[in-house]
Every structure is written in C-alpha cells, then in structure tokens.
Amino acid sequence: MVQSYVNDVLIELFESAVMEDGSSLFLDDKSDINYEFEAFNTPATGCWYELHFLPAQPIMAELGRNAMNEWSGIFQINICVLKTIRTITPQFGVQDYVDNAYASIAEVMKRGVIKDRVHITGVGKSSAIDNGDYYAVPISVSWYANLTN
C-alpha cells in the first residue's frame, strides 16, 4: 500500500513535467506513457515514455504500531524513440526532444523537491540503450519517504 502511494505521487510529478499544453515536445494526453502492468501500443509519433519503479526494502525508523519506516528507491523514466524516427517536428530532432524532455523532468523532479512526504534526492540521465527497434534514454529519479506502514 505504501509503495502504491509513493508510485502515485511520483507519477503525478512526472505527468506535471511532460503534460504541457501547446508544445509539440510534450504530451497532449496519457496515451504516450507506458505505465507498468498496463496494456500499451506504440504511438504513431514513435516517441513515448516508459515508467519503472525500483523500490528498496524499507528501513524501520521507529518502534511501535504507528511507527515510521524509511522507504527509498529509484523511479526510472525511459524516453523511448523508434530507430526509424529522425525528426519529431520540422524544428526539432530526436536529440532536441530527449534533451528538452529531460530538462523538463529534471526541473520538476529536482533534488530537494518534496511532494506529499516524498523527497526527491537526485535526478540523472544515462546514455541511450538499444532495445531492438527503439532507443531508450533512462532518467533515474532517486527518492525517499518516511511513512507509516
């Protein structure tokens, strides 16, 4: 239950970073987001996000029935682009798309952000991974939360 709560908070932060009106680099709706354990079809644009949750084991921080535990983990966001895509729009190439998406996510989910008792401790981007017919650029968001069981 606690992990589900944390996942919902992280998804809300992520969606606030990429769901901007009027920008061709961001999403108009949630159909371009591949949520864990939900059916997904590759969008016609050839660009989408994959969300993965990598929680650690909680650490007991207090004693008692309503004691706090420290939860931590990594929220991984993959920016995915089909290999056949060369430009997103006439003005923006794939690298522009990735760079702008990362900048937007990093701004909203930067170190020190606290939302509903979930603390963001860092965000970083890794090199692209070749996943067969598409590339995925992993963004790792480190977090912790002190919550009761």
Side-chain angles (χ1 to χ4, degrees), residues 5-93:
Y5 168 80
V6 171
N7 291 0
D8 290 345
V9 171
L10 293 170
I11 286 172
E12 187 177 323
L13 275 171
F14 163 75
E15 288 175 348
S16 74
V18 298
M19 303 284 293
E20 294 186 6
D21 295 328
S23 173
S24 59
L25 290 177
F26 299 95
L27 307 177
D28 295 325
D29 60 41
K30 298 178 184 180
S31 66
D32 294 344
I33 301 173
N34 184 356
Y35 297 94
E36 277 189 328
F37 310 114
E38 292 186 17
F40 180 77
N41 294 313
T42 302
T45 61
C47 303
W48 69 95
Y49 297 92
E50 295 175 341
L51 307 183
H52 303 281
F53 300 95
L54 308 165
Q57 290 293 326
I59 299 169
M60 183 173 63
E62 297 176 338
L63 297 174
R65 179 178 293 162
N66 295 317
M68 301 292 263
N69 286 330
E70 183 173 300
W71 299 76
S72 62
I74 295 173
F75 176 39
Q76 183 172 312
I77 303 159
N78 290 342
I79 303 171
C80 301
V81 180
L82 288 175
K83 289 182 178 178
T84 57
I85 303 297
R86 297 289 176 242
T87 60
I88 306 302
T89 68
Q91 303 94 334
F92 297 105

Side-chain angles (χ1 to χ4, degrees), residues 61 72 75 96 104 116 130 144:
S72 62
F75 176 39
D96 297 321
S104 183
D116 298 332
D130 186 338
Y144 81 90

